[in-house]
Amino acid sequence: MSQPRRARAKALAVASEIYPLVKTGGLADVVGALPGALAREGVETRTLVPGYPAVMDKLEDAEPVHAYRALYGGPARLVAGRVGALDLIALDAPHLYSRPGNPYIGPDGADWPDNAIRFAALARAGADVALGVLKGWRPDLVHAHDWQAALLPAFLRYQDAARPATVVTVHNLAFQGQFPRDMLGALGLPPESFAIDGVEYYGAIGFLKAGLQLADAITTVSPSYALEIQSPEAGMGLDGLLRARAAALHGILNGVDTDVWNPKADPHIAAAYAAPNARAKQKNRAALRARLRLDDDPQALVLGVVSRLSWQKGLDLLLECLPTLFEENIQLALLGAGDADLEAAFRAAASSHPGRIGLFLGYDEQLAHLVQAGCDALLVPSRFEPCGLTQLCALRYGAVPVVARVGGLADTIVDANEMALAAGVATGLQFAAGSAARLAHALRRAAALHRDAPTWKALQANGMATDVSWDAPARHYADLYRALIRANASNRRVA
Ligand code: ADP
């Protein structure tokens, strides 16, 4: 590798979640795992996160590195410290973040009414770090994740000082952060920012829109999703902007943390294994069945689901396929939480079919590992899916993914069609997204393949041999970072 490519780069990541401190979904996994993988590519990352109680508790000995007399209505500080291998900067602003539980939602189940201010403050603090408020550390590049951090490029744009390069990553275009235009002043944005090439979005203020408009580059979490979001069907109002910025838009797949998701050494499963291993699978399946009160039926295929329960995830389609499950002797092991209607529907299905449908309705990180290790196949029937992580974990655990052919699911699973089976490269099954009939067909195909033990074992082996680590994605990010840093430096020289 040539010398300049390996020059060390300093990156500031800014995000509203980070595993293992605060997690509501895949965003936290990515933000928690990418720094370690980037370090191996010569990129040093510090990550700025809100100082929620779950963060501040872990940063007891953190060092204060900057103080704000007033930041959006109260005193605040930046504190720096390490949690495991993560180099964190927390925005300690009790008036904004000293609230337990979910980072976005209050005890009444509704978004916190001041979310615009809470995440504008995160972006503002990120911009301050970008512009050099920390003694002795200034990033070459800032990486803002999702709408909660996406105002950052706007704060950098409407000022005169030299700024680092900027990237915004869209983890899910469905979450955009839209707020009324009369908040412009309260958010600390100048009047000129309220323009079509600034933060204005259909007459309101769009946080994600601002980031997509103003960042040097945009990434999203799979090549297919990068294409899909440029279409009116999947663009959620932003497809025009994304088409206009297509040259700056990159699809980079997520990986999984292969230390956290490691069937060879996983404290949350019943038996460890390194390759398809019928005896270990049997033990893990038995533990999962016991946990979710599923019948001990040696012939049945256990179909796992680990998911938020929302329209996006398509699990209402699975409810339509219950007759197929029973006809094909498929047991369901579902770990999920979310929409009350879906939770109620699954609860009703489970009580009508005890022993055949096992549920845990809630969030349980450890059980997620046992589902992956104990199920035979893992279902991800999403209507849209930017990348999806559970199918990657499934590959690693020898659970055969059955996925909708959309976004990152389409990019990561090789369907067991005749050609792929003959070539020995199939890893799972795909079906057309959004159709219960196609899902039922895929479940019948899965059951048939499962009855063909050597073929099923080949699918498991191919899946377990697939590289789902962060190595390749981190290389892509590091290459992109370096290209942006170079371009930013030469723009500065021209200016
Ligand atoms: P999304 O971010 O849209 O929810 P992803 O597939 O990208 O979907 O990431 C979901 C992450 O959250 C995975 O790490 C998955 O294991 C985890 N997860 C989802 N639901 C649950 C749950 N109920 N309990 C434990 N972990 C869950």
Side-chain angles (χ1 to χ4, degrees), residues 362-424:
Y363 195 90
D364 187 327
E365 193 80 34
Q366 303 183 359
L367 182 55
H369 288 243
L370 183 61
V371 173
Q372 294 284 8
C375 73
D376 296 295
L378 185 99
L379 177 66
V380 194
S382 307
R383 289 190 165 84
F384 68 93
E385 193 58 75
C387 178
L389 292 176
T390 59
Q391 85 282 8
L392 299 180
C393 300
L395 288 173
R396 191 144 163 81
Y397 278 67
V400 174
V402 179
V403 303
R405 191 181 307 109
V406 70
L409 300 173
D411 291 343
T412 54
I413 303 303
V414 182
D415 180 67
N417 58 43
E418 293 288 323
M419 296 295 277
L421 285 173

Side-chain angles (χ1 to χ4, degrees), residues 291-295 309 318-319 322 325-326 330-335 341-361:
R291 180 76 193 273
L292 296 184
R293 292 190 296 281
L294 288 168
D295 293 342
L309 299 179
L318 178 60
L319 286 163
L322 294 184
L325 290 188
F326 305 134
I330 297 174
Q331 295 178 329
L332 177 63
L334 181 141
L335 165 60
D341 291 359
L342 282 169
E343 290 198 2
F346 276 107
R347 210 175 277 121
S351 68
S352 312
H353 304 281
R356 311 301 301 170
I357 297 182
L359 301 181
F360 183 95
L361 296 177

Side-chain angles (χ1 to χ4, degrees), residues 71-74 91 93 95-97 99 112-124 147-148 151 155 179 183-188 207:
L71 181 73
Y72 295 93
L91 175 56
H95 63 297
L96 302 175
Y97 307 125
R99 309 170 195 182
W112 290 109
D114 59 347
N115 273 351
I117 296 292
R118 296 173 76 223
F119 295 111
L122 178 68
R124 176 70 259 175
W147 75 263
Q148 294 89 349
L151 220 44
F155 286 127
F179 301 99
M183 292 196 71
L184 197 70
L187 294 174
F207 278 38

Side-chain angles (χ1 to χ4, degrees), residues 61-81:
D61 302 326
E63 180 198 353
V65 288
H66 183 69
Y68 294 93
R69 205 152 349 122
L71 181 73
Y72 295 93
R77 321 177 291 163
L78 294 173
V79 300

